[in-house]
Amino acid sequence: MRRLGIIGYGNIAAMLCDVLATDPNLDLELVSVLARPGRIDHATEALREKALNIAPEVDFSESVKAFLDDAPDLVVECATHHAVRDSVPALLRAGVETVIASIGALADAEIEAEIAASARAGGTRAVLVPGAIGGIDALAAAKIAGIESVTYTSRKPPAAWRGTPAEDILDLASLAEEAEFFTGSAREAATAYPKNANVAATLALAGAGFDATRVRLIADPAAPGNIHEYEVRSNAVNFTMRLEGKASPDNPKTSVSTVYSIAREILNRAAPIAV
Ligand SMILES: NC(=O)c1ccc[n+]([C@@H]2O[C@H](COP(=O)([O-])OP(=O)(O)OC[C@H]3O[C@@H](n4cnc5c(N)ncnc54)[C@H](O)[C@@H]3O)[C@@H](O)[C@H]2O)c1
């Protein structure tokens, strides 16, 4: 893997370059960045220096066609749900394996179907990273054995739910104790709370599906950060996971573990033993 494509040039892309720069196994000749049309100057300013720490050549494009001209071996999407819908299918159809971080986009059944059809047509695959969550290996294996239930609870400080429909249900500013404000399926959660959809969508896709995966959303003034808990009952294994995400310094909505999860996916392709 010598030519890495990155869609997006925000918090995750910048941190990812810093993390990749520390690994001696990675031997890239090119980093190619796909920016939103009209935003190439902003992208260049934000990322060029960091990307030059991981490859001698860095190129920026604002169309998928120009991006494909750079012939990336692997593309990492860390932009937005819109980028998954608008850019990823064409990459897959061109046979380029693509790692997706904005997994909440696949809560839309049409987008999920389009991603699958495009990967099949291109003879490649879309890889969904665990991102902010862990234990996806055990959950996806349990899916093969048969799952009875998956229940996911997202617990965040009240301020983290600002700008979501939780504001219409709770007085977030004066909340003195934990309050559950949503229970429903992963599809309902991802639709009503799209900015918080990634983890619910990842669990749904790995396990019981969008309609059978249960989701609870909680605002908790005592939460030390973004807490993800889930319980799995299956024919192979029953387990409970609890992860306390640490917020990324530049974007409190993004858990730093997401950056390391994407880095692992890339570095596993460069390492002699993948784990
Ligand atoms: N899977 C997970 O657990 C997980 C966790 C955290 C974040 N995420 C997702 O990762 C994505 C990136 O997160 P971030 O913290 O870097 O966000 P960010 O807002 O800091 O950066 C996103 C960048 O993408 C650019 N962009 C937007 N639309 C684009 C397009 N169509 N093409 C190319 N670039 C485009 C933006 O201008 C911005 O620079 C988000 O969609 C977020 O939901 C996933």
Side-chain angles (χ1 to χ4, degrees):
M1 209 261 303
R2 305 290 317 279
R3 302 171 77 83
L4 176 67
I6 302 177
I7 310 177
Y9 39 95
N11 169 64
I12 290 182
M15 275 190 76
L16 182 64
C17 288
D18 288 346
V19 172
L20 294 179
T22 63
D23 191 280
N25 285 317
L26 199 63
D27 182 22
L28 296 178
E29 59 183 25
L30 171 80
V31 170
S32 174
V33 179
L34 177 62
R36 252 186 309 173
R39 300 287 288 166
I40 202 160
D41 288 347
H42 182 74
T44 311
E45 200 182 301
L47 207 59
R48 182 179 294 280
E49 227 172 275
K50 285 178 184 289
L52 280 170
N53 288 329
I54 53 172
E57 194 189 340
V58 178
D59 190 32
F60 289 82
S61 311
E62 33 182 19
S63 74
V64 172
K65 187 183 173 308
F67 189 53
L68 279 170
D69 285 345
D70 277 340
D73 302 315
L74 178 76
V75 166
V76 175
E77 176 284 324
C78 45
T80 57
H81 293 187
H82 288 138
V84 174
R85 184 194 61 200
D86 297 339
S87 303
V88 172
L91 299 174
L92 294 168
R93 284 181 188 276
V96 181
E97 186 178 8
T98 304
V99 174
I100 296 176
S102 307
I103 295 168
L106 279 71
D108 179 331
E110 274 182 31
I111 296 181
E112 184 190 350
E114 174 64 11
I115 294 288
S118 303
R120 270 198 202 97
T124 186
R125 23 174 233 169
V127 176
L128 311 182
V129 279
I133 196 77
I136 294 301
D137 54 342
L139 176 58
K143 178 183 183 175
I144 300 168
I147 288 184
E148 281 167 39
S149 65
V150 179
T151 305
Y152 163 57
T153 304
S154 171
R155 180 185 300 272
K156 299 185 182 182
W161 294 110
R162 282 205 201 112
T164 76
E167 280 183 323
D168 304 330
I169 303 165
L170 299 174
D171 181 1
L172 293 170
S174 65
L175 202 66
E177 54 188 44
E178 69 168 75
E180 181 182 286
F181 58 86
F182 173 91
T183 61
S185 70
R187 195 175 311 276
E188 289 162 346
T191 307
Y193 295 84
K195 289 181 192 154
N196 298 276
N198 291 312
V199 170
T202 306
L203 292 173
L205 287 158
F210 278 100
D211 299 313
T213 300
R214 306 308 299 163
V215 175
R216 301 166 63 220
L217 303 179
I218 293 175
D220 183 355
N226 294 347
I227 315 288
H228 305 287
E229 289 168 298
Y230 68 96
E231 195 182 317
V232 176
R233 301 194 67 79
S234 78
N235 292 334
V237 58
N238 298 334
F239 67 97
T240 306
M241 290 287 295
R242 182 177 194 278
L243 293 98
E244 250 183 66
K246 300 203 171 171
S248 144
D250 294 329
N251 182 351
K253 286 193 189 118
T254 291
S255 299
V256 277
S257 59
T258 304
V259 176
Y260 292 96
S261 172
I262 298 169
R264 166 182 174 265
E265 195 60 53
I266 296 167
L267 295 175
N268 260 342
R269 287 172 170 73
I273 297 177
V275 63

